[in-house]
Amino acid sequence: MNNFSVFLCLVSVALVVKDAAAQAQNDGVYIVYTGAAASSSTGFGPDHILSSSFLESKRDRVIHTYKKSFSGFAARLSEEEARSIAQRPEVVSVFPDPILQLHTTRSWDFLNAQSKVFKPPTHQTGSGNSKSHSPSGEDTIIGIVDTGIWPEAKSFSDEGLGPIPKRWKGTCSNGPDFSSALCNRKLIGANNYVLDDNFSSPRDRVGHGTHVAGIAAGRVVQGASYNGLANGTARGGSPGSRIAVYRACGPQGCPGSSILKAMDDAIADGVDVLSLSIGLSPLINFSTDPTAIGAFHAIEKDVIVVCASGNDGPKPSSVLNPAPWILTVGATTIDRFFESDVVLGGNRVIKGGGVHFAEHLRKTPVYPLIRGISARTRETTKHNASNCFPGSLDRKKVEGKIVLCESNDEEQHRRRDRVAEVMSRGGIGMIYVNQYGQLVGSVYSAFPVVLVTTEDGKKIRSYIKSNRHTVATILPTEVVSKHKPAPSVAYISGRGPIYDNDYLIKPDVAAPGVDILSTWPSNATNEAFFLQSGTSMACPHVSGIAALVKSHYPSWSHSAIKSAIMTTAIQTNNLKAPITNHLGNPATPDEYGAGEATLFGPLQPGLVYETEISDYLLFLCNMGYDVDQIKLIPKHLPANFSCPSDAKEDLISNMNYPSIAIARFNDSKRKKVKRTVTNVGSEEESVYIASVEMSTDDLKVQVNPTKLHFTKKKKKLSYEVTFKHQNSSSSLSGLAYGSITWTNEKYTVRIPFVVRE
């Protein structure tokens, strides 16, 4: 599990994956997926399978049935039973129930400031399909699939909201600690899908779902802070949107069977946006990934699905939720930094990061400072003690001291376990050396923990080595505002390229995901807020933006909304320089997709790239899926559909997607792709001119035509892009990044490209 999880939170925000097969061995739950809900046309729905002689005596072992937006069921089965059912002709797939894991005062203001090139529209624009709506997104419904909701929070007040949209078909359930009366014109739906749980209720006992819902669509709350830190006004991205909550996750994670059931209901209930801050694995199989399966059926109803890219960065190919029908979001920092400093003997100050309230420590360096390696027990190794692994430290050597802990082995133990080791041995504070750890704040409450860089760790070790009596103190956290540079791609954010698929760029965009303040469960009278970091926090930022766009343009397709968000993303920080990654280098599309999502840009995109259902089906063909595997996935398969005889992976590059990825370029020396754009700008008569930017002189990129002339009758136009070597003797060394931008006097429409050798 990633070490950047919140220490006091009951569930980590890092996305980790338990072995699905092992999980099925423990609880015996399998998902039997039979495809589209329109299975009545074949006569083989879930009821038919359940009534077979094989399962007749096992009906009590069925835990979920799916019959609204797609069909199937989840049941407790033996391996033999699962294998037998999988042989039935009407069954698409049978797979173990996987466990998916969960991956603001300032963030929205920061997005607004960063995207100031885009002005809030004073009137509705577009090609006749816009509608006069409040810019708060009041008529849109965001479905949150997560750990539930804390309905009493002020962020979910319905004060001033109009009637619930008539198209809403969902419900609000009762439970032992949740009444349907707690729903209102803001929180219009709340249901529970976690069955093996101590309580059957939509109430959030973890906090993650409440936090996410507040980011996406929380109402304006004055005076928000976390124990006095990050003071300001909290609000969601689409504060007028309605929220429907589907509790599919508990403290131990999110069963895939529960996620599918939640998505099945949400689609039928009438949500406009589905927000899932969860994920499975970079080793993707679309036929066994509950999120990908549910999302496909969602986009058939033009419900846009927004998911987190995962917290396993900065490793390449760590991105989660890579299906092209999902809008995948990476995480970036904002211009607020939580600084905590170490003061060494001689009043030498080492700047660090972290959130804690160590007011019981004196501000002068009077506390003994020791390295973990010097406090090891006789039974442990120097390596374990140096890293402060559980059970490695001697209480007699640690008690009353501040301990310096290394991070030479990030995989073996989580940071919070190391903090617990220092605390349990009587330490009064901890300095944790991690090159990039301070870039992602962690909350330690009253116990003083400060994260310092590797370089500063060397300075502290040098001080300890050169002095017989070493002392230090840790100062309470202070908020540094207008921090620069920001944004930068978060160290933890899942990166591309997609595992075993270099022909699609993921994540699609990035959004604030570090040190985000949002609402939190509380039994106290005062409103509770909490700080969390992760792509879980980035995802609902984009969900909120998607709801705003849907509110302004209710007839737009899911792909038009995705395109609007991607093509108006920005690539510069608050220093007016390129957005950087955790190393300080310019970020690439593999790290942040098209760039940082903007607040108002997607409301005026000019042109959009629309990806059709047929494009996704061809994508599956080119990924190696055959028609027998594909045919039961969509609700309505196009007549006479078949995979092309020449289907192959590199044809994925031709999908009409708002980004371009080329792979194995040195083998072909030349590659041509096609894209089609639709004019949704306010002017029906408009001319766009193409421009190209790229990272290397070894590549030549040509756009044909270089001008697109739209008229009242010509709203869709196509163009080709040819990639080739600059000369016959050159070859591409590694990667080339760049962009293709179409501009007219009013709009700028940009898509990124990646070319791999």
Side-chain angles (χ1 to χ4, degrees):
M1 183 177 288
N2 193 286
N3 284 331
F4 296 102
S5 50
V6 178
F7 177 63
L8 294 180
C9 186
L10 295 177
V11 61
S12 170
V13 297
L15 287 97
V16 295
V17 182
K18 294 185 178 180
D19 184 87
Q23 180 69 19
Q25 294 291 331
N26 292 334
D27 58 23
V29 176
Y30 287 82
I31 294 173
V32 180
Y33 176 58
T34 57
S39 54
S40 57
S41 62
T42 64
F44 295 116
D47 291 341
H48 172 82
I49 299 173
L50 291 174
S51 64
S52 69
S53 58
F54 187 76
L55 277 179
E56 185 65 35
S57 63
K58 301 176 175 60
R59 282 180 167 275
D60 60 337
R61 289 158 54 179
V62 175
I63 61 174
H64 289 300
T65 58
Y66 316 121
K67 54 187 178 182
K68 294 180 179 178
S69 305
F70 43 85
S71 64
F73 61 92
R76 301 185 187 281
L77 304 170
S78 68
E79 288 187 17
E80 180 183 354
E81 291 167 340
R83 282 195 297 268
S84 177
I85 292 174
Q87 303 305 312
R88 299 176 68 96
E90 67 271 31
V91 172
V92 176
S93 58
V94 177
F95 51 94
D97 189 11
I99 301 297
L100 291 79
Q101 293 294 329
L102 302 164
H103 278 309
T104 119
T105 52
R106 180 59 189 161
S107 60
W108 287 109
D109 291 336
F110 177 63
L111 276 184
N112 187 19
Q114 282 297 100
S115 58
K116 60 185 178 182
V117 64
F118 301 103
K119 302 299 181 184
T122 55
H123 61 278
Q124 300 304 313
T125 62
S127 54
N129 58 1
S130 63
K131 186 177 175 181
S132 181
H133 279 262
S134 164
S136 68
E138 183 171 324
D139 286 343
T140 53
I141 303 168
I142 303 177
I144 307 287
V145 180
D146 213 287
T147 64
I149 193 80
W150 198 263
E152 294 87 355
K154 293 179 183 177
S155 296
F156 310 127
S157 165
D158 66 352
E159 184 178 354
L161 287 180
I164 297 171
K166 292 181 179 179
R167 57 192 168 80
W168 172 246
K169 300 180 180 65
T171 61
C172 193
S173 66
N174 288 299
D177 58 354
F178 195 99
S179 167
S180 60
L182 292 171
C183 286
N184 54 28
R185 294 188 303 272
K186 177 66 175 180
L187 176 61
I188 63 174
N191 288 283
N192 173 64
Y193 301 89
V194 182
L195 302 182
D196 296 329
D197 195 285
N198 291 329
F199 56 96
S200 179
S201 164
R203 184 171 292 280
D204 185 8
R205 298 289 181 177
V206 174
H208 192 273
T210 300
H211 198 272
V212 163
I215 294 170
R219 304 301 300 279
V220 174
V221 179
Q222 306 287 342
S225 73
Y226 174 57
N227 286 356
L229 293 177
N231 288 302
T233 300
R235 69 177 181 89
S238 184
S241 288
R242 317 308 171 108
I243 296 172
V245 170
Y246 303 84
R247 181 178 177 262
C249 306
Q252 303 307 316
C254 317
S257 56
S258 298
I259 291 169
L260 270 178
K261 180 62 175 172
M263 296 181 79
D264 186 28
D265 282 357
I267 297 165
D269 289 346
V271 302
D272 298 298
V273 180
L274 264 172
S275 185
L276 295 95
S277 292
I278 54 181
L280 186 56
S281 169
L283 310 177
I284 191 68
N285 182 337
F286 295 118
S287 66
T288 58
D289 180 0
T291 307
I293 292 170
F296 196 100
H297 289 275
I299 57 99
E300 285 188 292
K301 298 287 184 67
D302 269 331
V303 176
I304 186 166
V305 182
V306 186
C307 294
S309 73
N311 292 351
D312 289 332
K315 296 179 295 185
S317 298
S318 56
V319 64
L320 307 183
N321 297 307
W325 51 87
I326 290 173
L327 176 49
T328 311
V329 186
T332 54
T333 64
I334 61 174
D335 63 344
R336 180 177 61 200
F337 178 67
F338 293 92
E339 182 178 310
S340 177
D341 296 343
V342 177
V343 183
L344 304 176
N347 290 323
R348 183 178 183 182
V349 177
I350 303 291
K351 293 185 181 296
V355 180
H356 62 84
F357 307 97
E359 296 182 359
H360 60 284
L361 294 185
R362 294 171 60 179
K363 294 186 178 181
T364 54
V366 296
Y367 305 100
L369 173 65
I370 188 173
R371 293 182 63 188
I373 195 172
S374 302
R376 69 187 181 103
T377 64
R378 293 181 179 180
E379 296 79 16
T380 197
T381 65
K382 292 181 179 180
H383 172 81
N384 288 359
S386 175
N387 285 271
C388 299
F389 287 166
S392 66
L393 302 181
D394 187 328
R395 182 178 185 86
K396 293 180 180 179
K397 299 176 182 177
V398 171
E399 193 166 16
K401 298 180 177 66
I402 295 173
V403 183
L404 178 71
C405 301
E406 308 291 344
S407 60
N408 299 325
D409 190 343
E410 287 284 324
E411 300 295 329
Q412 190 167 346
H413 290 284
R414 294 171 295 183
R415 186 192 307 157
R416 61 180 177 179
D417 294 331
R418 307 179 196 209
V419 173
E421 171 68 6
V422 174
M423 290 178 65
S424 67
R425 304 305 178 192
I428 61 169
M430 173 175 163
I431 303 169
Y432 188 73
V433 182
N434 183 284
Q435 181 61 32
Y436 311 112
Q438 64 169 293
L439 301 178
V440 180
S442 294
V443 180
Y444 301 101
S445 191
F447 187 72
V449 178
V450 59
L451 285 72
V452 301
T453 65
T454 302
E455 190 62 32
D456 284 334
K458 291 179 181 177
K459 296 175 183 177
I460 298 173
R461 287 195 298 271
S462 177
Y463 164 72
I464 294 174
K465 185 178 180 180
S466 59
N467 291 271
R468 173 173 291 185
H469 301 291
T470 54
V471 291
T473 192
I474 298 175
L475 302 181
T477 299
E478 293 186 357
V479 178
V480 178
S481 59
K482 298 182 180 179
H483 179 72
K484 295 180 180 180
S488 63
V489 179
Y491 171 75
I492 58 175
S493 186
R495 262 76 163 172
I498 300 170
Y499 185 86
D500 204 28
N501 178 8
D502 293 339
Y503 297 92
L504 181 66
I505 296 175
K506 288 282 182 170
D508 293 304
V509 291
V514 175
D515 299 331
I516 305 302
L517 187 83
S518 185
T519 194
W520 197 254
S522 172
N523 289 318
T525 302
N526 296 329
E527 183 83 346
F529 290 87
F530 195 65
L531 291 163
Q532 285 197 304
S533 297
T535 55
S536 280
M537 286 63 250
C539 170
H541 277 88
V542 176
S543 300
I545 294 171
L548 285 177
V549 180
K550 186 69 173 180
S551 176
H552 279 256
Y553 306 108
S555 66
W556 277 16
S557 67
H558 74 281
S559 61
I561 294 173
K562 177 196 284 190
S563 175
I565 293 171
M566 292 176 65
T567 60
T568 57
I570 60 173
Q571 301 78 43
T572 54
N573 59 27
N574 54 6
L575 292 174
K576 297 183 179 180
I579 292 174
T580 55
N581 60 19
H582 63 287
L583 296 172
N585 299 324
T588 72
D590 282 332
E591 296 171 312
Y592 69 168
E596 174 100 333
T598 62
L599 186 55
F600 296 118
L603 298 177
Q604 41 195 331
L607 306 175
V608 294
Y609 295 75
E610 294 195 88
T611 315
E612 307 291 344
I613 298 296
S614 57
D615 293 316
Y616 301 136
L617 297 177
L618 286 174
F619 166 82
L620 291 170
C621 291
N622 291 323
M623 282 289 293
Y625 293 77
D626 59 37
V627 175
D628 288 338
Q629 294 171 301
I630 296 172
K631 64 182 180 181
L632 290 179
I633 295 177
K635 190 166 186 178
H636 301 291
L637 191 69
N640 302 318
F641 175 81
S642 63
C643 285
S645 58
D646 63 344
K648 54 183 178 179
E649 205 173 26
D650 71 342
L651 292 176
I652 294 172
S653 301
N654 268 319
M655 182 169 54
N656 198 48
Y657 205 77
S659 62
I660 298 172
I662 307 293
R664 299 175 181 86
F665 182 64
N666 284 344
D667 295 339
S668 62
K669 301 292 185 182
R670 181 186 182 97
K671 179 71 175 180
K672 182 182 291 187
V673 299
K674 180 183 176 182
R675 290 293 186 271
T676 299
V677 287
T678 303
N679 181 20
V680 295
S682 56
E683 301 88 359
E684 291 182 327
E685 185 86 17
S686 183
V687 176
Y688 283 80
I689 299 175
S691 61
V692 177
E693 291 185 357
M694 60 188 121
S695 61
T696 177
D697 294 332
D698 295 333
L699 186 67
K700 189 173 184 179
V701 181
Q702 295 177 320
V703 179
N704 184 38
T706 56
K707 289 185 179 181
L708 295 177
H709 187 184
F710 293 93
T711 66
K712 186 174 183 179
K713 293 183 178 180
K714 291 184 178 180
K715 292 187 177 297
K716 288 182 181 286
L717 292 174
S718 299
Y719 66 93
E720 291 182 332
V721 185
T722 302
F723 299 87
K724 59 184 180 179
H725 291 291
Q726 190 63 252
N727 55 66
S728 58
S729 61
S730 66
S731 63
L732 190 64
S733 177
L735 302 174
Y737 300 104
S739 62
I740 297 165
T741 304
W742 292 95
T743 56
N744 68 0
E745 294 179 352
K746 186 173 182 179
Y747 303 108
T748 298
V749 187
R750 177 190 180 276
I751 63 171
F753 65 74
V754 177
V755 182
R756 308 181 196 279
E757 61 182 353

Short mmCIF file of all heavy atoms in Angstrom, two decimals, residues 514-534:
data_model
loop_
_atom_site.label_atom_id
_atom_site.label_comp_id
_atom_site.label_asym_id
_atom_site.label_seq_id
_atom_site.Cartn_x
_atom_site.Cartn_y
_atom_site.Cartn_z
N VAL A 514 -3.97 16.93 -3.60
CA VAL A 514 -3.03 16.94 -2.47
C VAL A 514 -3.49 17.95 -1.42
O VAL A 514 -3.73 19.11 -1.72
CB VAL A 514 -1.60 17.28 -2.95
CG1 VAL A 514 -0.65 17.41 -1.76
CG2 VAL A 514 -1.10 16.20 -3.91
N ASP A 515 -3.60 17.47 -0.17
CA ASP A 515 -3.99 18.32 0.96
C ASP A 515 -5.31 19.03 0.69
O ASP A 515 -5.43 20.25 0.82
CB ASP A 515 -2.90 19.35 1.26
CG ASP A 515 -1.58 18.71 1.63
OD1 ASP A 515 -1.60 17.61 2.18
OD2 ASP A 515 -0.53 19.34 1.38
N ILE A 516 -6.32 18.25 0.32
CA ILE A 516 -7.62 18.82 -0.01
C ILE A 516 -8.51 18.80 1.23
O ILE A 516 -8.69 17.76 1.86
CB ILE A 516 -8.29 18.04 -1.15
CG1 ILE A 516 -7.36 17.99 -2.38
CG2 ILE A 516 -9.63 18.67 -1.51
CD1 ILE A 516 -6.95 19.34 -2.92
N LEU A 517 -9.06 19.96 1.58
CA LEU A 517 -9.95 20.07 2.72
C LEU A 517 -11.39 19.87 2.24
O LEU A 517 -11.84 20.50 1.29
CB LEU A 517 -9.82 21.44 3.37
CG LEU A 517 -10.61 21.59 4.68
CD1 LEU A 517 -9.81 21.02 5.84
CD2 LEU A 517 -10.93 23.06 4.94
N SER A 518 -12.10 18.97 2.91
CA SER A 518 -13.51 18.77 2.59
C SER A 518 -14.22 18.26 3.83
O SER A 518 -13.60 17.94 4.85
CB SER A 518 -13.66 17.80 1.43
OG SER A 518 -15.02 17.68 1.02
N THR A 519 -15.53 18.15 3.73
CA THR A 519 -16.35 17.79 4.89
C THR A 519 -16.06 16.37 5.36
O THR A 519 -15.57 15.53 4.61
CB THR A 519 -17.84 17.96 4.54
OG1 THR A 519 -18.62 17.94 5.71
CG2 THR A 519 -18.31 16.89 3.57
N TRP A 520 -16.38 16.12 6.64
CA TRP A 520 -15.99 14.87 7.30
C TRP A 520 -17.06 14.49 8.33
O TRP A 520 -17.70 15.36 8.92
CB TRP A 520 -14.64 15.07 7.99
CG TRP A 520 -13.93 13.81 8.37
CD1 TRP A 520 -13.79 13.29 9.63
CD2 TRP A 520 -13.25 12.92 7.49
NE1 TRP A 520 -13.07 12.12 9.57
CE2 TRP A 520 -12.72 11.87 8.27
CE3 TRP A 520 -13.04 12.90 6.12
CZ2 TRP A 520 -12.00 10.82 7.73
CZ3 TRP A 520 -12.32 11.85 5.57
CH2 TRP A 520 -11.80 10.83 6.37
N PRO A 521 -17.28 13.20 8.56
CA PRO A 521 -18.25 12.80 9.58
C PRO A 521 -17.92 13.37 10.95
O PRO A 521 -16.75 13.42 11.35
CB PRO A 521 -18.15 11.27 9.58
CG PRO A 521 -17.63 10.92 8.22
CD PRO A 521 -16.70 12.04 7.86
N SER A 522 -18.95 13.77 11.67
CA SER A 522 -18.72 14.32 13.00
C SER A 522 -20.00 14.23 13.82
O SER A 522 -21.09 14.50 13.33
CB SER A 522 -18.29 15.78 12.91
OG SER A 522 -18.23 16.37 14.19
N ASN A 523 -19.84 13.87 15.09
CA ASN A 523 -20.97 13.88 16.01
C ASN A 523 -21.04 15.19 16.79
O ASN A 523 -21.93 15.39 17.60
CB ASN A 523 -20.87 12.71 16.99
CG ASN A 523 -21.14 11.38 16.30
OD1 ASN A 523 -22.05 11.29 15.49
ND2 ASN A 523 -20.35 10.37 16.63
N ALA A 524 -20.04 16.05 16.52
CA ALA A 524 -19.99 17.31 17.25
C ALA A 524 -20.95 18.32 16.63
O ALA A 524 -21.45 18.15 15.52
CB ALA A 524 -18.56 17.86 17.21
N THR A 525 -21.20 19.39 17.37
CA THR A 525 -22.09 20.44 16.89
C THR A 525 -21.46 21.18 15.72
O THR A 525 -22.11 21.52 14.74
CB THR A 525 -22.41 21.43 18.02
OG1 THR A 525 -23.00 20.71 19.11
CG2 THR A 525 -23.39 22.50 17.54
N ASN A 526 -20.16 21.45 15.83
CA ASN A 526 -19.47 22.18 14.77
C ASN A 526 -19.25 21.30 13.55
O ASN A 526 -19.06 20.09 13.67
CB ASN A 526 -18.12 22.70 15.28
CG ASN A 526 -18.28 23.71 16.40
OD1 ASN A 526 -19.27 24.44 16.43
ND2 ASN A 526 -17.33 23.75 17.31
N GLU A 527 -19.27 21.93 12.39
CA GLU A 527 -19.01 21.20 11.15
C GLU A 527 -17.58 20.67 11.15
O GLU A 527 -16.64 21.37 11.50
CB GLU A 527 -19.21 22.14 9.96
CG GLU A 527 -19.05 21.49 8.61
CD GLU A 527 -20.30 20.78 8.14
OE1 GLU A 527 -21.21 20.58 8.98
OE2 GLU A 527 -20.38 20.45 6.96
N ALA A 528 -17.41 19.41 10.77
CA ALA A 528 -16.08 18.80 10.74
C ALA A 528 -15.53 18.81 9.32
O ALA A 528 -16.25 18.56 8.35
CB ALA A 528 -16.14 17.37 11.26
N PHE A 529 -14.24 19.12 9.21
CA PHE A 529 -13.54 19.05 7.94
C PHE A 529 -12.24 18.31 8.15
O PHE A 529 -11.71 18.24 9.27
CB PHE A 529 -13.27 20.46 7.38
CG PHE A 529 -14.51 21.16 6.92
CD1 PHE A 529 -15.28 21.90 7.81
CD2 PHE A 529 -14.93 21.05 5.61
CE1 PHE A 529 -16.44 22.54 7.40
CE2 PHE A 529 -16.08 21.69 5.18
CZ PHE A 529 -16.84 22.43 6.07
N PHE A 530 -11.71 17.75 7.08
CA PHE A 530 -10.50 16.95 7.20
C PHE A 530 -9.68 17.10 5.93
O PHE A 530 -10.21 17.40 4.85
CB PHE A 530 -10.87 15.47 7.41
CG PHE A 530 -9.72 14.62 7.91
CD1 PHE A 530 -9.16 14.84 9.15
CD2 PHE A 530 -9.22 13.60 7.12
CE1 PHE A 530 -8.11 14.05 9.61
CE2 PHE A 530 -8.18 12.80 7.57
CZ PHE A 530 -7.63 13.03 8.82
N LEU A 531 -8.37 16.90 6.06
CA LEU A 531 -7.45 16.98 4.93
C LEU A 531 -7.12 15.58 4.45
O LEU A 531 -6.75 14.71 5.24
CB LEU A 531 -6.16 17.69 5.34
CG LEU A 531 -6.26 19.18 5.65
CD1 LEU A 531 -5.04 19.64 6.44
CD2 LEU A 531 -6.40 19.99 4.36
N GLN A 532 -7.24 15.36 3.15
CA GLN A 532 -6.84 14.09 2.55
C GLN A 532 -6.13 14.35 1.24
O GLN A 532 -6.32 15.37 0.58
CB GLN A 532 -8.04 13.18 2.31
CG GLN A 532 -8.59 12.53 3.58
CD GLN A 532 -9.49 11.36 3.26
OE1 GLN A 532 -10.46 11.48 2.54
NE2 GLN A 532 -9.15 10.20 3.80
N SER A 533 -5.30 13.36 0.86
CA SER A 533 -4.56 13.44 -0.40
C SER A 533 -4.74 12.15 -1.18
O SER A 533 -4.87 11.07 -0.60
CB SER A 533 -3.07 13.67 -0.14
OG SER A 533 -2.83 14.89 0.51
N GLY A 534 -4.72 12.27 -2.50
CA GLY A 534 -4.82 11.09 -3.35
C GLY A 534 -5.60 11.40 -4.61
O GLY A 534 -6.28 12.43 -4.72
#
